[in-house]
Amino acid sequence: MIMPFLKGLATTLRMVFTKPITQQYPEERREMYPRWRGHPELTIDPDGRRRCVACTLCLVVCPSNAIKGIVPAEGPEHEKYPAAFVIDLQRCIFCGLCQEACPQAAIKLNNLYELAQYDKSLLILEIDRATQKESKLRTPDWL
Amino acid sequence: MVNLTIDGRAVQTKKGQTILEACDDLGIFVPRLCYHPALKPIGACRICVVEVKPGPPRPLPACATYVAEGQEVVTASPKLDVIRLELMKLVLINHALECPVCDKGGECELQDLTHAIGVPEVDLAAVKLPPNQDYESQLVERHPDRCVTCGRCIHICRDRVGAMAINFTLRGYFTELTSGAVPLDCEFCGSCIDICPVGALINKQFKYRSRAWEVTKTEMACPFCGGGCTYELHVKDGKVMRVFNGGDKVVLCGRGRFGWPVVEAPDRLKTPLIRQDGQLQEATWDEALDLVAAKFRQITEAAGLGAIYGVGSPRATNEANYLFQKFFRQGLGTNNLDNPGRYTYIRALQGLAAVFGPAQVSGVELDPSRPPAFTSPYPVTDDAKGKGFPFVLGKIDDLPKADVVLVVGADVTPELPPLGWALLEARERDAFKLIVANNRRTKFDRYADLSMRCQPGTERLLVAGIIKALLAAEVTPAIRASGVEEFKESLKKLTLKDVAKKTGVEEAAIKAAADLLAQALAPAIIFGAELLAQDKGQENALALADLFLLVGKPGAPGSALYPVAEKNNTRGVCEVGVLPDFGPGFAPVDKPGAALPEVLALLEKGDAAAPQSLYLLGGDLLRFAPNHKQVEKALKKVPFIVVQDAFLTETAKLAHVVLPVAVHAEQEGTFISSDGTLGYLPRALSANGVKPDCLIIHEIASRMGYSIPTGGPANIFKDLAKAMPLWAGLAPKGSEPRADFGKDLSGQLVPFDLDVSLPGRRPLTLLVGKSLQHSGSFTTHHPCGALTVTPRAELGMNPDDAQGLGLTEGDAAKVTSSQGEISVPITLNPDLPPGLVFLPEHFADPAANALTLNSNLVRVTISKG
């Protein structure tokens, strides 16, 4: 009769003295693995310039039309760059085809995964918000 | 037919085909890189190699090997695969792999071929060459590092365009495309861009604007000159990206390829304008159309139905012009209308009609079944016979079949580029002879077997000299000709010596020209708007019609007259009956109205019979009509002018109501080109608040209570084509070829005026003509590509003349004639003979017609200033 009770108590007591496995989200956030497919973002080169050359291959390959509004432009050294670029996180299915199609490694899925917003428009990233920034949530090795 | 075996399949092919062409017809794919159907075989890439038996013990290029009876051809074998793969590796060895930024990406033949052949990797290495990009040239950008040295661009430039502006330099692996000097100095036709299989030549207007697969393509007729070319308009998100001409015929001229941005010109009119308190003010469509209808009604009630005079437009579609004449003939019941072709093309038609008689068509009957849209309901049957002047006008496609071509008074390429391309094609035959008679050196003098340089304005006398020489040699006309004796009588006093003295052409040359024409089996005559715009343009056409009657062989393909109809629909506006004396299909009318020059003269005099109102369908009278001052004076006296135009032209500035119209890609319709083919214009862009001509005419007519057909251009065309047996068999270019009428031609030799004197005593002669890059005033609006190359009017002058006047390149010169004075920068041009100066007609400032009286030739004095 008492044995099951003691067994349960033992389990409880054991757990009291072990490290908890739950994470205190949002105070604590989970580190994603480097190959995690999070939000797509435009990468920058060591000089801080976008790698994207507005070839639109990502737009072509995107199965859910999450990438749109790429406006190509010509730079002072005849380079091609995007003057506008829109990533719609509402439509993104995080399949990663864009980063596979990109010939310049200019679009990558990062390790961000949060999509909850009070304002939908915040999920539509225009070029500046879609560009990679320093962030402690982004591990240095994901690229 | 030739019987042979391809890949074990017994096949029949046409004689004279190459193996590659035969394979294409049979649907057998042979990889190729340098071959293009628009060009003769180049044989540079060797990727199309096939094994041929009997033949040498090595593979042969399919593009340059002709089919032969009993041949056995193998197009795919392990041996060929190895050869092709190795060749591809050599092509790709240091190819700049810029596909993501290269505008050719997605339509690149090298990309396709790499996939087709399956090149896994390039395991060869070679020293990297400097990229040597050319960013400086206008309109064209060159990337030699992407070049595959196929040689297509060089061949099209040399053989089809005749510009010879680019070539290879160095040899082997170091071969590089060059123009001799950066930047390019050529005709800027851009044909090299569209024929380049890779992105070595790039269209600057298209650069980085869109990827090849993002555009919607619409095939349409070109809206500039009367050449009747068709091209693809590429549109993305409602904006034009480029003009592209792929397919079998790549050649287009610069205005066609780079002229489209007029559609986007910021100075386009967007809303109707109404004159209030002396100023043109913006108004709504209803206000403007109501005002026009009310005013028209008021004027006709007060001064009669003939008080409104209409001027049609050689730029507007057939449908718009047809509705326009219907508005006048059926609505108002007058024949008071004309079109600006009066100053050029109509003169040619009048001259030809005098010799070959009026247009008559017999043996065609209405087809009871419904024809496809924009197709004539009259099929051409075996007993269809055509008589009269329209049947001596030639087709450009037939011109290469002519064996002697006489070019008189025409700088062919600026006047009508397709005629020039046809001449280059004709030149490939050994028997072909070209005679060029111009007052200055033109591009085609270089290809001419006989080049005659006559004094400006004496072309008619030169023709008379040739006729005289022909008559002396007792040539018998191939066509029934009457009036020979009378005609001989009229030339009795003329001696070749006299002609030689006045024209400046040697007697021997005149005789040689006559000999060539007399012996020709299919002679053709080309004459330009430059000749027709002279004071006695009609006499010039008459002289040439007489000459053609003497030597022409209308039964032989290509033997015809080729007058230049300068704008896209100059011929169409005449054929659909925007003429005071002829209705649609050149049907004579009962009470002919007054011609445009007469009306302008009446207006200037303030005559009581002058119209009270002008209704101008486009047609910038102030810009194109000679004698700017008279026209301005006349227009200022008109109480009410309505102008339908896309721009606020000089004439529109004097109007009381201006109605903005849609231009080419924004409306549907058809054009008749200089050679009588029908060009179909589909709608590719939205009209953005402006309306097509047809709709405006219809709205004015219905507000005035007239019923004229509506239901869109297709419906109007149906109505129009029913009235035009002359158009029997006509269908849009690119569909079934138009069956030819049986020709029943006869003519009468009509004496013509031999007086070629140019009044005035000023030392220099000014010729107002056409520039290569422009078409009318349509291309002079920013950001049109034509303005990149020719941004302003420059007075061309012989370097010796300039030196005598103390002028150098770029100096401002004061040009004075009896009519006025203008100031214009000069450019030295050794092609012009001493004594002749040249000014393009397209620009508003300085206006060339401020100097002219009734001709495109005028005597002028030039001084520094």
Side-chain angles (χ1 to χ4, degrees):
Chain A
M1 186 71 187
I2 193 118
M3 277 316 282
F5 175 73
L6 287 176
K7 237 179 181 174
L9 193 65
T11 305
T12 307
L13 285 172
R14 199 163 65 239
M15 284 300 152
V16 167
F17 297 105
T18 56
K19 210 178 149 215
I21 57 165
T22 50
Q23 281 188 325
Q24 295 301 312
Y25 182 84
E27 285 77 25
E28 273 175 44
R29 291 179 194 211
R30 185 167 180 161
E31 280 269 306
M32 304 316 294
Y33 287 95
R35 286 174 60 191
W36 167 257
R37 299 202 303 258
H39 300 177
E41 69 175 17
L42 297 173
T43 63
I44 52 176
D45 64 13
D47 298 338
R49 287 179 304 205
R50 285 181 202 102
R51 286 196 174 91
C52 178
V53 293
C55 72
T56 74
L57 290 186
C58 51
L59 184 147
V60 171
V61 81
C62 182
S64 59
N65 291 345
I67 296 173
K68 48 200 164 191
I70 301 178
V71 179
E74 188 174 354
E77 277 150 23
H78 307 286
E79 74 275 18
K80 192 178 178 187
Y81 70 92
F85 197 112
V86 176
I87 299 172
D88 187 348
L89 292 180
Q90 294 176 103
R91 298 197 63 107
C92 184
I93 55 168
F94 313 104
C95 64
L97 289 181
C98 50
Q99 71 178 5
E100 260 180 68
C102 184
Q104 304 285 336
I107 191 163
K108 276 277 183 185
L109 267 50
N110 60 20
N111 52 5
L112 303 180
Y113 47 82
E114 291 157 316
L115 283 167
Q117 293 287 358
Y118 285 108
D119 184 358
K120 270 190 188 176
S121 67
L122 292 172
L123 291 171
I124 299 169
L125 306 178
E126 88 301 349
I127 187 159
D128 285 331
R129 289 184 44 241
T131 305
Q132 176 184 12
K133 282 182 203 70
E134 290 301 317
S135 159
K136 52 182 172 182
L137 270 175
R138 293 168 211 218
T139 53
D141 63 333
W142 71 269
L143 189 86
Chain B
M1 293 304 256
V2 180
N3 296 295
L4 69 157
T5 336
I6 299 179
D7 291 341
R9 220 170 106 190
V11 293
Q12 269 204 330
T13 63
K14 283 183 231 141
K15 213 180 155 186
Q17 267 189 326
T18 61
I19 295 175
L20 191 65
E21 284 163 356
C23 287
D24 280 352
D25 285 355
L26 295 161
I28 300 168
F29 174 68
V30 178
R32 83 286 304 267
L33 187 58
C34 71
Y35 169 80
H36 195 281
L39 301 171
K40 286 186 288 182
I42 301 170
C45 71
R46 304 271 148 176
I47 283 168
C48 67
V49 282
V50 290
E51 290 179 66
V52 181
K53 270 189 230 167
R58 58 181 175 274
L60 292 175
C63 69
T65 310
Y66 292 90
V67 288
E69 190 68 34
Q71 233 171 18
E72 278 175 45
V73 179
V74 177
T75 66
S77 72
K79 186 179 160 194
L80 293 175
D81 287 347
V82 171
I83 294 174
R84 286 176 187 154
L85 185 62
E86 279 309 304
L87 285 168
M88 277 305 285
K89 282 182 183 173
L90 289 170
V91 169
L92 290 169
I93 193 163
N94 266 339
H95 186 77
L97 291 173
E98 299 174 306
C99 306
V101 291
C102 176
D103 287 317
K104 205 74 182 184
E107 55 178 10
C108 175
E109 290 175 42
L110 188 64
Q111 280 181 338
D112 296 346
L113 198 62
T114 307
H115 281 280
I117 291 180
V119 186
E121 61 173 337
V122 180
D123 46 9
L124 304 167
V127 57
K128 271 262 185 207
L129 300 178
N132 291 343
Q133 289 105 336
D134 164 23
Y135 295 112
E136 276 93 75
S137 295
Q138 293 156 325
L139 301 167
V140 185
E141 194 173 290
R142 286 180 292 155
H143 290 260
D145 54 336
R146 298 177 188 162
C147 179
V148 293
T149 59
C150 68
R152 281 187 193 177
C153 51
I154 294 165
H155 281 244
I156 200 163
C157 190
R158 188 189 65 201
D159 300 341
R160 297 285 174 261
V161 181
M164 298 188 264
I166 43 176
N167 208 339
F168 284 137
T169 177
L170 305 177
R171 284 287 174 273
Y173 173 68
F174 302 96
T175 309
E176 190 179 312
L177 182 68
T178 175
S179 61
V182 174
L184 270 176
D185 179 19
C186 66
E187 290 185 12
F188 292 100
C189 70
S191 302
C192 53
I193 298 170
D194 287 358
I195 207 160
C196 182
V198 291
L201 292 152
I202 291 288
N203 184 340
K204 273 195 173 171
Q205 286 179 333
F206 181 61
K207 191 184 176 191
Y208 295 168
R209 292 189 68 206
S210 159
R211 301 313 308 264
W213 58 82
E214 291 176 330
V215 293
T216 319
K217 302 169 182 176
T218 319
E219 174 105 15
M220 61 171 63
C222 175
F224 295 106
C225 78
C229 303
T230 54
Y231 57 60
E232 267 177 20
L233 192 78
H234 289 187
V235 177
K236 179 186 156 190
D237 303 332
K239 286 214 142 161
V240 183
M241 290 290 126
R242 64 169 163 181
V243 160
F244 184 80
N245 201 20
D248 289 358
K249 277 199 167 178
V250 173
V251 185
L252 269 185
C253 70
R255 35 197 180 211
R257 199 179 309 266
F258 301 118
W260 59 265
V262 272
V263 178
E264 294 171 356
D267 55 340
R268 285 254 330 253
L269 292 173
K270 290 171 190 78
T271 54
L273 303 175
I274 292 178
R275 188 168 294 277
Q276 278 167 342
D277 314 321
Q279 293 291 316
L280 283 171
Q281 312 270 351
E282 291 192 358
T284 64
W285 274 104
D286 278 335
E287 281 167 11
L289 292 170
D290 286 341
L291 178 70
V292 172
K295 271 277 191 187
F296 275 175
R297 208 175 297 128
Q298 197 184 326
I299 288 166
T300 48
E301 275 162 15
L305 291 166
I308 303 174
Y309 193 82
V311 180
S313 165
R315 285 251 183 256
T317 59
N318 288 321
E319 290 72 19
N321 280 307
Y322 175 73
L323 271 197
F324 187 69
Q325 66 90 29
K326 207 151 189 171
F327 172 74
F328 277 85
R329 294 217 160 94
Q330 287 196 358
L332 297 169
T334 77
N335 289 314
N336 274 343
L337 74 167
D338 205 348
N339 76 68
R342 181 62 58 190
Y343 293 97
T344 51
Y345 191 64
I346 296 175
R347 292 175 175 169
L349 297 184
Q350 284 173 330
L352 299 189
V355 172
F356 294 99
Q360 275 175 354
V361 176
S362 60
V364 292
E365 264 169 53
L366 209 64
D367 183 8
S369 65
R370 282 159 56 95
F374 297 104
T375 303
S376 169
Y378 295 96
V380 176
T381 50
D382 289 343
D383 30 306
K385 279 262 183 296
K387 246 184 170 178
F389 70 92
F391 298 94
V392 291
L393 298 175
K395 292 225 179 314
I396 294 174
D397 286 348
D398 287 338
L399 184 62
K401 294 177 192 143
D403 65 345
V404 174
V405 173
L406 170 67
V407 176
V408 189
D411 186 357
V412 179
T413 303
E415 291 251 10
L416 206 66
L419 273 180
W421 306 328
L423 281 180
L424 283 170
E425 202 181 323
R427 235 189 99 245
E428 285 175 358
R429 293 201 341 266
D430 292 336
F432 179 75
K433 297 273 183 267
L434 180 64
I435 312 169
V436 177
N438 271 329
N439 49 28
R440 60 192 192 282
R441 189 162 67 213
T442 62
K443 176 175 153 189
F444 279 88
D445 279 274
R446 140 182 4 138
Y447 303 111
D449 297 277
L450 181 61
S451 173
M452 298 187 276
R453 189 93 61 251
C454 61
Q455 290 296 319
T458 63
E459 291 87 353
R460 189 166 65 255
L461 195 63
L462 180 65
V463 174
I466 296 174
I467 292 176
K468 181 86 183 175
L470 284 167
L471 290 173
E474 307 261 318
V475 192
T476 39
I479 322 164
R480 280 196 315 275
S482 54
V484 183
E485 290 312 311
E486 242 171 80
F487 185 69
K488 273 187 181 168
E489 195 64 30
S490 76
L491 291 176
K492 208 173 174 185
K493 280 187 192 151
L494 191 75
T495 62
L496 283 190
K497 217 173 176 179
D498 226 25
V499 174
K501 203 176 130 205
K502 279 190 188 158
T503 59
V505 180
E506 283 173 25
E507 223 176 302
I510 300 174
K511 279 186 185 154
D515 275 352
L516 280 175
L517 286 167
Q519 284 157 18
L521 300 173
I525 301 175
I526 294 174
F527 54 109
E530 194 178 300
L531 195 66
L532 297 166
Q534 286 177 14
D535 179 19
K536 289 173 185 162
Q538 193 184 331
E539 297 290 318
N540 289 340
L542 194 59
L544 288 164
D546 284 333
L547 177 61
F548 187 73
L549 182 55
L550 281 175
V551 299
K553 312 271 187 299
S559 180
L561 285 154
Y562 293 84
V564 171
E566 51 181 335
K567 287 176 184 159
N568 52 351
N569 205 19
T570 299
R571 181 160 170 181
V573 67
C574 299
E575 288 193 353
V576 301
V578 185
L579 295 169
D581 40 2
F582 292 101
F586 299 117
V589 294
D590 287 341
K591 269 191 276 168
L596 180 58
E598 294 166 29
V599 169
L600 289 176
L602 282 179
L603 280 170
E604 193 206 0
K605 269 190 275 170
D607 198 291
Q612 297 295 306
S613 173
L614 285 179
Y615 181 12
L616 309 174
L617 191 64
D620 188 359
L621 288 176
L622 270 176
R623 185 80 74 91
F624 70 77
N627 201 345
H628 187 274
K629 227 188 262 169
Q630 183 210 355
V631 178
E632 192 171 11
K633 214 166 134 193
L635 290 182
K636 280 188 174 157
K637 286 187 183 164
V638 185
F640 187 65
I641 303 179
V642 181
V643 171
Q644 262 174 242
D645 208 312
F647 294 95
L648 194 64
T649 59
E650 308 278 296
T651 314
K653 281 178 194 158
L654 296 178
H656 299 84
V657 178
V658 185
L659 304 168
V661 295
V663 295
H664 58 287
E666 299 166 343
Q667 59 174 345
E668 195 184 13
T670 58
F671 299 139
I672 293 283
S673 72
S674 189
D675 71 343
T677 47
L678 186 75
Y680 172 59
L681 183 76
R683 190 173 158 183
L685 299 172
S686 79
N688 286 327
V690 297
K691 293 189 180 193
D693 284 306
C694 297
L695 196 63
I696 301 176
I697 300 166
H698 183 262
E699 288 194 9
I700 293 176
S702 54
R703 277 173 164 80
M704 292 180 72
Y706 306 138
S707 75
I708 55 175
T710 177
N715 217 24
I716 300 169
F717 186 89
K718 219 185 271 171
D719 192 51
L720 156 67
K722 241 184 243 167
M724 303 277 288
L726 185 68
W727 279 7
L730 195 68
K733 198 176 180 180
S735 53
E736 284 294 293
R738 183 181 181 179
D740 264 336
F741 273 69
K743 286 176 194 167
D744 178 18
L745 290 173
S746 62
Q748 187 192 3
L749 286 165
V750 182
F752 53 88
D753 189 351
L754 291 172
D755 176 24
V756 290
S757 57
L758 192 62
R761 288 184 177 191
R762 294 173 188 270
L764 296 163
T765 308
L766 171 74
L767 171 67
V768 178
K770 289 175 197 350
S771 126
L772 180 59
Q773 301 297 333
H774 289 281
S775 171
S777 58
F778 197 34
T779 46
T780 59
H781 299 275
H782 274 287
C784 179
L787 286 172
T788 322
V789 184
T790 312
R792 58 176 186 175
E794 283 177 340
L795 185 78
M797 190 185 251
N798 185 287
D800 292 344
D801 280 346
Q803 207 181 8
L805 292 165
L807 291 164
T808 51
E809 181 89 32
D811 281 356
K814 201 166 77 181
V815 189
T816 319
S817 79
S818 55
Q819 295 302 300
E821 186 183 290
I822 59 167
S823 173
V824 56
I826 72 156
T827 172
L828 303 181
N829 185 354
D831 290 345
L832 293 163
L836 183 69
V837 289
F838 180 89
L839 187 62
E841 64 182 11
H842 316 280
F843 298 91
D845 184 32
N849 63 353
L851 298 172
T852 54
L853 176 60
N854 48 12
S855 165
N856 61 346
L857 289 169
V858 65
R859 291 208 188 270
V860 292
T861 319
I862 293 179
S863 57
K864 223 172 180 170

